[in-house]
Amino acid sequence: DAKTTQPPSMDCAEGRAANLPCNHSTISGNEYVYWYRQIHSQGPQYIIHGLKNNETNEMASLIITEDRKSSTLILPHATLRDTAVYYCIVSPYYGGSQGNLIFGKGTKLSVKP
Amino acid sequence: SQTIHQWPATLVQPVGSPLSLECTVEGTSNPNLYWYRQAAGRGLQLLFYSVGIGQISSEVPQNLSASRPQDRQFILSSKKLLLSDSGFYLCASGSGELFFGEGSRLTVL
């Protein structure tokens, strides 16, 4: 089972910031928070990840609460192409049995003109 | 960055027929490789992962199998397909930050 909880769907107006929440109250000290998105009928795309500090890259910003029990992915200026299912995942960094990414149902973000 | 190639992109097979989906990786060596399946309207389910040639771990019992004959080649197979095997199959590579292929959509009739 996924170790995260996300709202099933959200709407956002084009050009506005999209703030996608995620609860991960049972996160362990060695687990990172990852965000991926999946545009319809395509493979998932990595967006960003973080451990404790807030992170920013060319795609998005990740805000992690001080207790690490929740996080928010921020798309600063959403476009129609950002319409996708967004997955929040917690996992240790390395692959193999300890690092498999368990995808839940995610949040379907609809960006509207 | 890595590039994941999957084929075929689309496949329609009768129940009881065999299956072979292939995945190759470019841009890295000795990657961790994964097969995921996404049934219609559902999330991604991890099927197999591999940390090296000939090393396969299965996450769920099923009539599918996986093999890794070369460092950057990962194959998903079945001897006899079931209706429940229909879905969108994704190959991925990496650790933490995963790179996914474009997927293979399998319909079993």
Side-chain angles (χ1 to χ4, degrees), chain B residues 52-93:
Chain B
I53 295 174
Q55 302 179 60
I56 309 295
S57 296
S58 174
E59 289 294 299
V60 294
Q62 59 213 323
N63 72 321
L64 300 171
S65 62
S67 62
R68 185 170 177 175
Q70 300 181 43
D71 181 45
R72 290 174 289 175
Q73 183 184 24
F74 206 23
I75 298 171
L76 184 69
S77 304
S78 174
K79 293 182 179 179
K80 291 184 177 182
L81 284 169
L82 306 173
L83 288 174
S84 58
D85 291 325
S86 293
F88 190 45
Y89 288 82
L90 289 154
C91 177
S93 170

Side-chain angles (χ1 to χ4, degrees), chain B residues 35-55:
Chain B
W35 278 111
Y36 284 85
R37 176 173 63 198
Q38 188 171 35
R42 303 182 67 178
L44 277 72
Q45 178 187 33
L46 179 64
L47 301 176
F48 300 95
Y49 69 90
S50 171
V51 298
I53 295 174
Q55 302 179 60

